[in-house]
Amino acid sequence: RAAAADRDLDAVTVLFDAAARFVDRLPGARTEVFLDHVLGQQLPADTLAPTGDRGEAVRLLTAHAAKGLEWDVVAVAGVQEGIWPDLRLRGSLLGSERLVDVLAGRADGTGTVAGLVGQTSALLDEERRLFYVAVTRARRRLLVSAVDSAAVGGTDHEEQPSRFLYELGPTVPAVAPGEAVTVPGDAPTAPGDDGPVELPVGRPPRALTLAALVAELRTTVTDPAAPPTRRHAAAAELARMAAAGVPGAHPDEWWGLRGLSDDRPLVDEGEPVRVTPSSMESALRCSLRWLLERHGGTGPPSAAQGVGNLVHAAAMLAEDASADRGKLLEYVAGRFDAIELAARWMTGAERSRAEAMVDKLLRWLAGNPRRLLAIEQEFAVRLDDPDRPVELVGRVDRLEVDADGRLVVVDLKTGRTTAATGAELAEHPQLGAYQVAVESGGFDEFGTESGGAALVQLGTTGRDAREQTQAPVDEAAEAGWARAMVRRTADTMAAATFAAVANSKCRVCPVRTSCPVSGQGRQVVEPPTVRQPESPP
């Protein structure tokens, strides 16, 4: 029964550990989700692989498992202070380690502090013996490595080499397999008598991973400035790795060296290009990002987008200042649980933010001098051009009429981003496209004269909403700027080449791992442009 109880206790402990890791990954998940996660795991059965003959292979194992074994080359990595030696006092449920201290005489007539010092000293001796086991497993060559953050320019001193690294000395005696390992009594516990041990410090040329090795060999093979002998050696190594099935080693998998599958434009000449005002700014800022996002590069909707969509839906119920605030807040509260939040504790803050935006909207409506014509009004106009017709389609949040009978398009913004500057507002692509739609007959049942367009910032800081108005296009210094911008956007969207352009939005770009301008996507052979795929996803 005692053995069964031990197994049950071990199983419960493992279950607690699994629950802790699960909560770290999915905070706020229900118990049923955790049970499905546990029941869906596949536990491997016992295997004889650790004791079987592996042949010529690299073995990865702990120092305890290396006892009685030896190899020609041994690498002991991560010899860091705090990890080796690990001087954390480990106790047991019944405190049996205290009996060992009594038998060893470390607890006789000593206080609590002295007892802890004795336990730490014994633990340090045990850690040193274990390190001695690790470094005496090599027949010919031993490599011991650590990280020193201060030596490479760091200031936090978070990573420091272990004190054991300085105790190695010039040589380490060999120990035959199976022989008992003991640390000599005169083994140095500090730098040797010849003076402090100087450890070589440097940066590795690349990450010590298989993918990084393949990348370095490929770079060498394709570098015309590299010596021929080095290039031939890299090619031979890549051939050996390709024969072993290493991903990326075979030239057939080097996408940067392949020719373009199709150099035609995304939209054939003479075919209409579909442009939406909401996508114009993205296409003009960085056409590569627009292309990749259009073909599946966007991430899942964020919590902020969910809150913004809910506020937009509530705004459809508020035609003017007479809207019932209680009903709007009830509408938001009744649908708030459908928003996917990163953690349950964020619910209160995000709900308060949504209610604050509703109040901002009502206060803005109370001071709005224009009259409402339509909410969420769709439009579709065709701009004929000798080279390429453009279909301008979309939907406006609010269509209003001013005192002069001119149409004004209002776009509600619920994001936290800062408002547009005066220079940006004068030629704001989205607002300009709305005015083009008005003058081209997109709302011909209401009129065709544009009185400007406006952004109403509900999500920015401040008690009241901020309205940013764009002057009518016919009053601008440069006539026809908005229509020219729509055509330039259409040409960008229909092109055969899409350029990556560094801009202020690169930090939050969802496709930066595929962008040659970004450090995460810079390893390409082609120039920093991307052409359309053979068949869009």
Side-chain angles (χ1 to χ4, degrees):
R1 289 190 300 175
D6 288 340
R7 290 193 298 270
D8 293 343
L9 180 59
D10 291 340
V12 172
T13 303
V14 172
L15 181 64
F16 285 167
D17 292 339
R21 292 191 299 268
F22 180 81
V23 171
D24 290 339
R25 293 194 302 267
L26 296 175
R30 298 177 61 85
T31 308
E32 293 81 358
V33 180
F34 172 65
L35 293 178
D36 293 340
H37 166 72
V38 174
L39 295 176
Q41 291 184 343
Q42 295 182 356
L43 303 180
D46 294 337
T47 175
L48 298 178
T51 59
D53 185 9
R54 295 175 176 267
E56 293 186 0
V58 177
R59 298 197 61 179
L60 181 66
L61 66 169
T62 64
H64 290 92
K67 289 183 178 179
L69 303 174
E70 64 177 11
W71 298 266
D72 288 340
V73 179
V74 171
V76 184
V79 185
Q80 304 294 135
E81 189 69 26
I83 298 178
W84 208 338
D86 184 359
L87 299 181
R88 295 174 298 175
L89 296 178
R90 275 87 75 179
S92 62
L93 180 63
L94 301 179
S96 59
E97 69 280 352
R98 300 179 184 176
L99 297 177
V100 178
D101 294 338
V102 172
L103 294 177
R106 290 191 295 265
D108 296 340
T110 60
T112 303
V113 176
L116 293 177
V117 171
Q119 295 177 31
T120 303
S121 177
L123 187 58
L124 178 60
D125 292 340
E126 180 61 29
E127 289 283 293
R128 182 176 284 108
R129 293 188 185 94
L130 189 60
F131 182 71
Y132 192 80
V133 169
V135 299
T136 54
R137 301 303 93 201
R139 296 192 190 100
R140 299 181 180 178
R141 187 180 182 189
L142 171 67
L143 173 64
V144 184
S145 62
V147 175
D148 188 355
S149 57
V152 294
T155 58
D156 54 0
H157 298 278
E158 182 178 356
E159 297 289 347
Q160 299 182 22
S162 169
R163 67 190 74 177
F164 292 164
L165 216 58
Y166 299 92
E167 299 178 5
L168 285 176
T171 59
V172 177
V175 179
E179 181 179 338
V181 178
T182 57
V183 179
D186 58 349
T189 58
D193 298 335
D194 295 335
V197 178
E198 293 291 338
L199 300 178
V201 179
R203 290 181 179 271
R206 55 173 170 78
L208 300 180
T209 61
L210 185 60
L213 175 60
V214 172
E216 181 182 9
L217 294 174
R218 286 169 52 172
T219 302
T220 303
V221 169
T222 56
D223 183 10
T229 55
R230 181 177 174 83
R231 297 179 64 183
H232 292 161
E237 194 66 27
L238 282 173
R240 188 172 69 88
M241 298 172 72
V246 176
H250 199 284
D252 289 346
E253 300 178 8
W254 301 1
W255 306 111
L257 298 181
R258 289 192 170 188
L260 297 178
S261 58
D262 192 347
D263 59 356
R264 295 175 301 170
L266 198 60
V267 179
D268 294 333
E269 187 176 355
E271 294 293 326
V273 182
R274 189 181 182 92
V275 177
T276 59
S278 58
S279 63
M280 286 182 54
E281 186 176 0
S282 175
L284 294 175
R285 183 191 304 116
C286 178
S287 60
L288 174 61
R289 174 176 176 176
W290 170 83
L291 176 73
L292 297 180
E293 285 187 319
R294 180 187 176 188
H295 292 94
T298 56
S302 63
Q305 290 174 323
V307 174
N309 293 335
L310 182 58
V311 173
H312 271 88
M316 295 176 61
L317 306 177
E319 297 184 359
D320 51 35
S322 62
D324 190 340
R325 177 179 181 272
K327 290 184 178 180
L328 294 180
L329 296 182
E330 182 180 355
Y331 179 87
V332 171
R335 291 159 178 79
F336 199 84
D337 290 340
I339 299 176
E340 292 289 340
L341 298 176
R344 193 177 299 275
W345 58 266
M346 300 174 59
T347 303
E350 291 296 329
R351 182 171 172 179
S352 299
R353 179 171 171 268
E355 294 175 352
M357 285 192 284
V358 171
D359 290 335
K360 288 183 181 181
L361 175 64
L362 293 176
R363 286 193 292 270
W364 173 78
L365 288 174
N368 182 22
R370 298 181 295 269
R371 179 171 56 88
L372 177 67
L373 295 178
I375 294 179
E376 294 293 327
Q377 180 71 24
E378 296 183 352
F379 65 88
V381 295
R382 185 182 179 95
L383 308 179
D384 291 324
D385 187 272
D387 298 328
R388 192 187 306 278
V390 180
E391 293 182 354
L392 185 61
V393 298
R395 177 186 299 174
V396 299
D397 292 337
R398 294 176 65 87
L399 181 63
E400 301 175 347
V401 60
D402 62 9
D404 298 328
R406 300 177 301 178
L407 300 185
V408 177
V409 175
V410 176
D411 188 63
L412 304 178
K413 295 296 185 182
T414 59
R416 290 189 175 93
T417 55
T418 57
T421 63
E424 295 172 343
L425 188 64
E427 294 188 359
H428 195 279
Q430 186 174 2
L431 297 184
Y434 286 146
Q435 294 204 59
V436 172
V438 170
E439 294 191 335
S440 301
F443 310 99
D444 53 359
E445 65 269 32
F446 302 107
T448 57
E449 184 180 3
S450 175
L455 298 174
V456 177
Q457 305 287 349
L458 301 177
T460 53
T461 58
R463 180 178 180 274
D464 297 324
R466 179 183 178 186
E467 178 178 331
Q468 297 182 288
T469 304
Q470 185 182 76
V473 290
D474 56 0
E475 299 178 4
E478 181 181 352
W481 69 267
R483 189 176 293 267
M485 183 175 292
V486 173
R487 296 194 182 281
R488 187 165 72 251
T489 304
D491 292 338
T492 301
M493 293 180 174
T497 302
F498 299 86
V501 181
N503 57 83
S504 60
K505 303 293 184 180
C506 289
R507 184 178 59 86
V508 294
C509 178
V511 294
R512 55 184 176 273
T513 55
S514 300
C515 174
V517 174
S518 168
Q520 302 180 40
R522 190 170 293 156
Q523 291 184 351
V524 295
V525 177
E526 288 288 305
T529 57
V530 174
R531 298 181 184 270
Q532 70 170 37
E534 184 174 356
S535 55

